[in-house]
Amino acid sequence: MSQLVSLVRDGNVALIVIDNPPVNALSSAVRAGILECFRAARDDAQVAAIVFLGAGRTFVAGADITEFGKPPQPPVLIDVIAEIDQSPKPTVAAMHGTPLGGGFEVTLACHFRVAAPGTRVGLPEIKLGLFPAAGGTQRLPRLVGMDKAAAMILSGEQMPAEEALEIGLIDEIVAGDLRAGAVAFAKRVVAEKRPLRRVSELDDKIAPLRADPARFDEIMASHMKRGRGLDAPKAVVESMRQTLTLDVEEASRNDRDTFVRLIPGEQSRGQRHIFFAEREAAKVPGVSKDVKARAVRRAAVIGAGTMGGGIAMCFANAGIPVTVVETSGEALKRGLDTVAKNYKTSVTRGSLTAEEMERRIGLMSGATDMDAVKDADLVIEAVFEEMDIKRQIFGALDRITGPDAVLATNTSYLDVNAIARETQRPASVLGMHFFSPANVMRLLEVVRGERTSPEALATAMAVGRRLGKVPVVVGVCHGFVGNRMLRARSIEAERLLIEGALPQEVDGALTEFGFPMGPFAMGDLAGLDVSWRMRKAQGTRAEIADALCEAGRFGQKTGKGFYLYEAGARTGKPDPEVEAMIVGVSKRLGVTRRPIGRQEILERLVYPMVNEGARILEEGIATRPGDIDVIWIYGYGFPAWRGGPMFYADTVGLKTICERLSALATASGDKRHEPAALLQRLAAEGRGFASLDEKKSA
Ligand SMILES: NC(=O)c1ccc[n+]([C@@H]2O[C@H](COP(=O)([O-])OP(=O)(O)OC[C@H]3O[C@@H](n4cnc5c(N)ncnc54)[C@H](O)[C@@H]3O)[C@@H](O)[C@H]2O)c1
């Protein structure tokens, strides 16, 4: 028998134990082992029932995705599953940990499913631009109904065992020893001569839809959300539609063909790239596995404004007590009231229980005296973006906190090294740059100063993960990685307006590309006054945005910005007044306006970002192109299925990007558009950014 899968006996029950650490991925050897053990158990007259079990920390957590894109090695998963499906003896899947993807599809071929408390099941393939083609789209709707199946498959989200039990996805939650519990369950099935419930043959949930196929389309439409128009969600719908006309075996054969077509597609390649890049980002040069993160038992946040409040929520959500410090009782109350209001909204929406809200609010305490942070293991400063105030605060924190405390700033642009120099412990100072809204956005730029120690970095990374964030280490420069690239885009966005485009055309090019919103709608949402104040402080100008602010148009908060917002509306309408204003600016600057096409808009917004990304890599501000991609996907809404700006650049071809940038540099006279040396070198060598990534992803 294969070493990865073993067959053991417990009385008349055969146990097939899958032991392929760390997550029992379904490699070709595991698939072969399962099949071999299953056949042996099926054909053994002494065996009355068969239990599938995972060794270690989880049941099979999915396919071995390093095998994707390689020629399939037999036996393929659908064949293994088809054989288990036809078992003449009762089969029981005993689940713990995270039975996901192909692993979960194996359990759907069993007659019964039991799970340990805390198990989370799911079909996350959609997140890799794929779909559960080993019967998931066929069996799940037959078991739990089309609506629940579509919700699970199209979101890719995991479901806790308790909920799975409620909807009939599993038969029992086994408290205590899972193996013993599952064997006892199997023995009971045998003793009671329970009928074998073959999921592939269930029809009661499908029959009503067969009589009313329009209902099928309605259900699917309600779960499509942002996936509309993408290859994988489309494949899910067509695959699930087959339940109305075909049996599982026939449909599965079609599914396999579709799956094989999706794998080499750009969308799936982009999403798989991000999957690997996110894991690579966790590896920080100079921070080996032996470096121990310091324990963070208690945190503190300085400033309870937009960011401070959100950051404090992150800690409370993760169960970490947090102290919030403000300048006055009034400011503190305002901040904490906003936090309470946010939590109440979640309770009203049903995503949080009132009890949990109380528990989280109970983990927060407020103070107006900095001494209150003296016991904190980690302090995050989120006060106004002003160097003098930040310097003062870090001087004070250095005096007040214990010698091992890590001190972080949430600054967006300021020099983290200069802030660190205000302390006697620059090794324990770094940036933890959250994104707004801080309790929602998953990106965390961890800014490594010139003196930041590996322990401090490891601590920030570990805390970031505890808060549910995707932490990425970046170096010190104006705007770090994300905002520095954003700036390159914003400058060009304004130029496009001056040359002849309108806000809705610029935004439209980006939403068509896949961003949730374009730069002008985003500016209106964030408030145009914020960057206006920053430009005034720096003595710089953005002609059109400044003109809007001078006319009192600050964006959504004033009902007017680049767009017009009718009473409480969240999406704006084009405003003729803004158009007149833009035309006026062009005229004043002596620019003859011309129509600008979508493609030109897109290239002029995205390629300068790629160019800035290349400089960021040259300067070592980001470690790998994949880190930049992760930053843009989790922090700025870059469409994941395009793999991030650097991955996207590779798909366009770096030679093309260089040529366009050179042309843009000549036309605009802006030297920043000259292609970066790295970009030129890679283009000349016929390489892409992917060739710089340590690990190949596809
Ligand atoms: N707003 C964003 O989108 C965003 C995103 C990332 C980072 N940041 C950065 O986060 C920081 C905070 O930004 P914000 O948008 O939350 O600002 P904000 O104006 O909403 O909040 C700042 C808060 O700090 C308080 N404060 C000022 N001085 C203080 C002091 N000495 N002690 C205690 N509290 C003090 C103020 O009373 C105010 O409540 C800035 O450095 C900003 O650059 C902002």
Side-chain angles (χ1 to χ4, degrees):
M1 290 283 160
S2 143
Q3 291 173 334
L4 299 173
V5 185
S6 53
L7 182 61
V8 285
R9 283 276 296 279
D10 185 332
N12 61 352
V13 174
L15 274 149
I16 296 176
V17 184
I18 303 153
D19 190 3
N20 180 27
V23 296
N24 292 323
L26 285 168
S27 64
S28 56
V30 169
R31 297 194 298 270
I34 292 176
L35 197 55
E36 199 181 333
C37 292
F38 170 71
R39 285 174 177 165
R42 180 193 60 193
D43 300 340
D44 182 343
Q46 308 292 311
V47 170
I50 304 166
V51 172
F52 293 86
L53 188 74
R57 63 171 136 112
T58 180
F59 190 79
V60 177
D64 182 347
I65 67 174
T66 59
E67 285 185 6
F68 286 177
K70 296 181 186 158
Q73 292 293 315
V76 294
L77 187 57
I78 50 167
D79 292 341
V80 177
I81 285 179
E83 241 181 273
I84 297 173
D85 183 277
Q86 291 302 311
S87 174
K89 296 175 181 173
T91 48
V92 180
M95 303 189 273
H96 73 298
T98 47
L100 300 174
F104 184 51
E105 286 174 301
V106 168
T107 75
L108 291 174
C110 294
H111 301 119
F112 304 98
R113 281 152 297 280
V114 300
T119 305
R120 299 178 69 85
V121 300
L123 294 167
E125 285 84 348
I126 199 89
K127 295 185 173 177
L128 299 179
L130 299 169
F131 76 106
T137 43
Q138 305 307 319
R139 288 191 181 82
L140 193 58
R142 286 178 162 89
L143 189 58
V144 300
M146 199 59 73
D147 190 37
K148 294 193 174 78
M152 193 168 189
I153 294 171
L154 284 167
S155 73
E157 297 300 331
Q158 299 175 10
M159 182 184 284
E162 294 69 22
E163 195 181 332
L165 180 70
E166 218 166 277
I167 68 168
L169 184 46
I170 62 174
D171 301 280
E172 199 172 289
I173 292 183
V174 175
D177 184 57
L178 176 65
R179 178 177 170 149
V183 168
F185 182 92
K187 287 183 174 162
R188 234 165 32 239
V189 167
V190 173
E192 291 168 9
K193 294 197 173 56
R194 276 210 225 169
L196 303 186
R197 195 157 176 256
R198 200 166 276 153
V199 177
S200 59
E201 289 168 5
L202 300 177
D203 197 48
D204 58 314
K205 300 230 166 40
I206 303 295
L209 288 174
R210 205 172 288 129
D212 181 13
R215 177 77 195 117
F216 172 87
D217 289 314
E218 269 170 40
I219 293 174
M220 289 299 151
S222 73
H223 294 292
M224 280 300 258
K225 292 190 195 131
R226 280 184 58 198
R228 226 175 286 274
L230 295 185
D231 295 342
K234 216 183 318 168
V236 166
V237 175
E238 289 324 309
S239 168
M240 293 179 87
R241 196 189 299 281
Q242 299 179 105
T243 54
L244 307 184
T245 50
L246 301 179
D247 64 23
V248 171
E249 205 195 319
E250 211 174 329
S252 293
R253 252 181 275 135
N254 295 336
D255 285 347
R256 167 124 206 104
D257 293 344
T258 312
F259 187 81
V260 168
R261 268 203 307 279
L262 284 177
I263 287 183
E266 241 160 47
Q267 296 181 4
S268 177
R269 282 183 48 227
Q271 283 181 264
R272 270 148 49 214
H273 160 69
I274 288 302
F275 178 87
F276 286 110
E278 191 183 325
R279 276 148 192 80
E280 280 297 294
K283 297 177 195 156
V284 184
V287 182
S288 70
K289 277 212 168 77
D290 317 329
V291 176
K292 280 242 171 333
R294 294 181 200 157
V296 173
R297 282 171 292 253
R298 177 164 271 289
V301 178
I302 314 296
T306 310
M307 294 306 288
I311 296 169
M313 285 175 79
C314 293
F315 283 103
N317 295 350
I320 303 170
V322 57
T323 305
V324 185
V325 180
E326 258 292 349
T327 43
S328 68
E330 196 189 327
L332 181 64
K333 183 171 181 316
R334 205 181 321 124
L336 293 178
D337 283 353
T338 305
V339 166
K341 203 176 103 213
N342 286 338
Y343 277 133
K344 277 195 194 106
T345 308
S346 304
V347 172
T348 315
R349 280 202 199 128
S351 57
L352 190 75
T353 64
E355 202 183 6
E356 185 57 24
M357 170 179 82
E358 291 307 327
R359 199 181 69 82
R360 293 181 189 188
I361 290 176
L363 285 167
M364 288 188 191
S365 54
T368 50
D369 183 350
M370 287 273 269
D371 278 341
V373 311
K374 67 178 190 309
D375 296 328
D377 303 305
L378 169 68
V379 185
I380 299 178
E381 165 277 314
V383 305
F384 302 134
E385 186 76 341
E386 281 176 35
M387 194 48 140
D388 287 345
I389 310 185
K390 299 215 191 248
R391 280 211 177 107
Q392 235 174 30
I393 287 179
F394 274 77
L397 289 176
D398 192 30
R399 286 190 297 276
I400 295 167
T401 55
D404 287 334
V406 171
L407 308 180
T409 171
N410 183 47
T411 182
S412 306
Y413 294 96
L414 299 175
D415 182 353
V416 173
N417 294 325
I419 293 174
R421 281 195 289 272
E422 291 301 313
T423 71
Q424 307 293 317
R425 62 175 104 184
S428 292
V429 177
L430 41 67
M432 285 179 79
H433 184 213
F434 290 75
F435 289 73
S436 184
N439 54 316
V440 176
M441 297 297 288
R442 302 224 21 232
L443 177 63
L444 176 66
E445 282 184 331
V446 174
V447 189
R448 175 184 214 155
E450 58 195 5
R451 311 252 325 250
T452 306
S453 70
E455 289 75 20
L457 270 181
T459 307
M461 296 291 282
V463 165
R465 275 190 288 272
R466 264 174 88 191
L467 303 186
K469 303 296 176 194
V470 180
V472 183
V473 172
V474 300
V476 176
C477 66
H478 188 76
F480 315 118
V481 171
N483 282 346
R484 177 169 158 182
M485 287 168 70
L486 182 69
R487 195 173 139 78
R489 189 180 83 174
S490 311
I491 292 173
E492 210 47 35
E494 163 137 333
R495 281 188 189 146
L496 285 163
L497 294 188
I498 295 174
E499 288 175 35
L502 293 173
Q504 58 272 27
E505 292 167 344
V506 174
D507 283 351
L510 281 190
T511 48
E512 193 179 76
F513 182 74
F515 276 92
M517 59 175 89
F520 299 120
M522 193 171 107
D524 277 0
L525 179 67
L528 302 174
D529 52 322
V530 182
S531 39
W532 182 44
R533 243 181 280 126
M534 197 170 89
R535 284 192 297 276
K536 280 201 287 193
Q538 290 174 340
T540 57
R541 276 190 72 77
E543 296 298 336
I544 294 166
D546 287 358
L548 292 175
C549 287
E550 280 151 19
R553 303 183 70 118
F554 292 166
Q556 287 196 21
K557 61 174 115 172
T558 55
K560 289 173 175 184
F562 279 100
Y563 298 97
L564 188 65
Y565 299 85
E566 281 163 359
R570 292 190 141 255
T571 33
K573 285 189 171 159
D575 186 347
E577 239 178 67
V578 173
E579 189 174 335
M581 216 178 250
I582 293 171
V583 170
V585 171
S586 303
K587 195 164 171 200
R588 181 160 56 77
L589 298 175
V591 177
T592 311
R593 294 177 66 78
R594 63 177 173 98
I596 306 180
R598 284 260 156 127
Q599 182 61 22
E600 180 181 342
I601 293 176
L602 185 68
E603 291 182 356
R604 285 180 56 179
L605 293 178
V606 178
Y607 297 176
M609 267 170 49
V610 171
N611 204 19
E612 202 61 44
R615 289 195 193 100
I616 281 169
L617 287 169
E618 280 169 0
E619 295 166 22
I621 297 293
T623 310
R624 326 163 179 86
D627 286 11
I628 298 179
D629 289 333
V630 169
I631 286 172
W632 267 80
I633 279 164
Y634 286 106
Y636 299 86
F638 200 99
W641 49 273
R642 292 202 189 264
M646 310 314 270
F647 183 90
Y648 173 70
D650 280 358
T651 66
V652 172
L654 300 192
K655 192 163 161 282
T656 305
I657 293 193
C658 271
E659 285 164 7
R660 295 282 198 282
L661 282 168
S662 296
L664 195 53
T666 311
S668 66
D670 182 349
K671 287 218 169 336
R672 294 296 291 173
H673 287 322
E674 296 288 358
L678 173 66
L679 194 51
Q680 291 190 31
R681 178 165 63 79
L682 291 174
E685 292 170 5
R687 292 164 57 192
F689 288 111
S691 66
L692 303 175
D693 269 324
E694 282 164 10
K695 188 169 176 163
K696 292 275 162 34
S697 51

